[in-house]
Short mmCIF file of all heavy atoms in Angstrom, two decimals:
data_model
loop_
_atom_site.label_atom_id
_atom_site.label_comp_id
_atom_site.label_asym_id
_atom_site.label_seq_id
_atom_site.Cartn_x
_atom_site.Cartn_y
_atom_site.Cartn_z
N SER A 74 -30.01 114.48 -17.74
CA SER A 74 -29.62 115.77 -17.19
C SER A 74 -28.43 115.62 -16.25
O SER A 74 -27.71 116.58 -15.98
CB SER A 74 -30.79 116.41 -16.46
OG SER A 74 -31.21 115.57 -15.40
N ASP A 75 -28.23 114.43 -15.73
CA ASP A 75 -27.12 114.09 -14.85
C ASP A 75 -26.79 112.62 -15.11
O ASP A 75 -27.46 111.98 -15.92
CB ASP A 75 -27.53 114.30 -13.38
CG ASP A 75 -26.37 114.71 -12.50
OD1 ASP A 75 -25.21 114.41 -12.87
OD2 ASP A 75 -26.60 115.31 -11.45
N THR A 76 -25.81 112.07 -14.45
CA THR A 76 -25.53 110.64 -14.60
C THR A 76 -26.20 109.93 -13.43
O THR A 76 -25.85 110.16 -12.28
CB THR A 76 -24.02 110.37 -14.62
OG1 THR A 76 -23.44 111.15 -15.66
CG2 THR A 76 -23.75 108.90 -14.89
N PHE A 77 -27.17 109.07 -13.76
CA PHE A 77 -28.01 108.45 -12.75
C PHE A 77 -27.80 106.95 -12.66
O PHE A 77 -27.53 106.29 -13.67
CB PHE A 77 -29.50 108.68 -13.08
CG PHE A 77 -29.95 110.09 -12.95
CD1 PHE A 77 -30.19 110.85 -14.08
CD2 PHE A 77 -30.15 110.65 -11.70
CE1 PHE A 77 -30.62 112.16 -13.96
CE2 PHE A 77 -30.58 111.96 -11.57
CZ PHE A 77 -30.82 112.72 -12.71
N LEU A 78 -27.97 106.43 -11.45
CA LEU A 78 -28.06 104.99 -11.22
C LEU A 78 -29.53 104.64 -11.06
O LEU A 78 -30.20 105.16 -10.17
CB LEU A 78 -27.31 104.60 -9.95
CG LEU A 78 -25.83 104.89 -9.90
CD1 LEU A 78 -25.23 104.34 -8.61
CD2 LEU A 78 -25.12 104.30 -11.10
N HIS A 79 -30.04 103.80 -11.93
CA HIS A 79 -31.43 103.38 -11.83
C HIS A 79 -31.56 102.19 -10.89
O HIS A 79 -32.43 102.14 -10.04
CB HIS A 79 -31.98 102.98 -13.21
CG HIS A 79 -32.27 104.15 -14.08
ND1 HIS A 79 -33.52 104.67 -14.24
CD2 HIS A 79 -31.45 104.92 -14.83
CE1 HIS A 79 -33.47 105.69 -15.05
NE2 HIS A 79 -32.22 105.86 -15.43
N ASP A 80 -30.73 101.21 -11.08
CA ASP A 80 -30.83 99.95 -10.35
C ASP A 80 -29.56 99.74 -9.54
O ASP A 80 -28.51 99.43 -10.08
CB ASP A 80 -31.09 98.79 -11.30
CG ASP A 80 -30.21 98.86 -12.54
OD1 ASP A 80 -29.37 99.77 -12.62
OD2 ASP A 80 -30.37 98.01 -13.41
N SER A 81 -29.67 99.94 -8.25
CA SER A 81 -28.51 99.81 -7.37
C SER A 81 -28.92 99.06 -6.12
O SER A 81 -30.10 99.00 -5.77
CB SER A 81 -27.96 101.19 -7.00
OG SER A 81 -28.96 101.95 -6.35
N THR A 82 -27.94 98.48 -5.47
CA THR A 82 -28.20 97.80 -4.21
C THR A 82 -27.04 98.06 -3.26
O THR A 82 -25.90 98.23 -3.69
CB THR A 82 -28.40 96.27 -4.42
OG1 THR A 82 -28.82 95.68 -3.20
CG2 THR A 82 -27.13 95.59 -4.89
N ALA A 83 -27.37 98.13 -1.98
CA ALA A 83 -26.34 98.33 -0.98
C ALA A 83 -25.43 97.12 -0.94
O ALA A 83 -25.87 95.98 -1.11
CB ALA A 83 -26.97 98.56 0.39
N ALA A 84 -24.15 97.37 -0.73
CA ALA A 84 -23.16 96.29 -0.64
C ALA A 84 -22.39 96.45 0.66
O ALA A 84 -21.93 97.55 0.97
CB ALA A 84 -22.21 96.34 -1.82
N GLY A 85 -22.27 95.38 1.40
CA GLY A 85 -21.51 95.44 2.64
C GLY A 85 -20.02 95.45 2.36
O GLY A 85 -19.54 94.77 1.45
#
Side-chain angles (χ1 to χ4, degrees):
S74 60
D75 211 336
T76 304
F77 292 106
L78 299 184
H79 285 261
D80 44 4
S81 60
T82 188

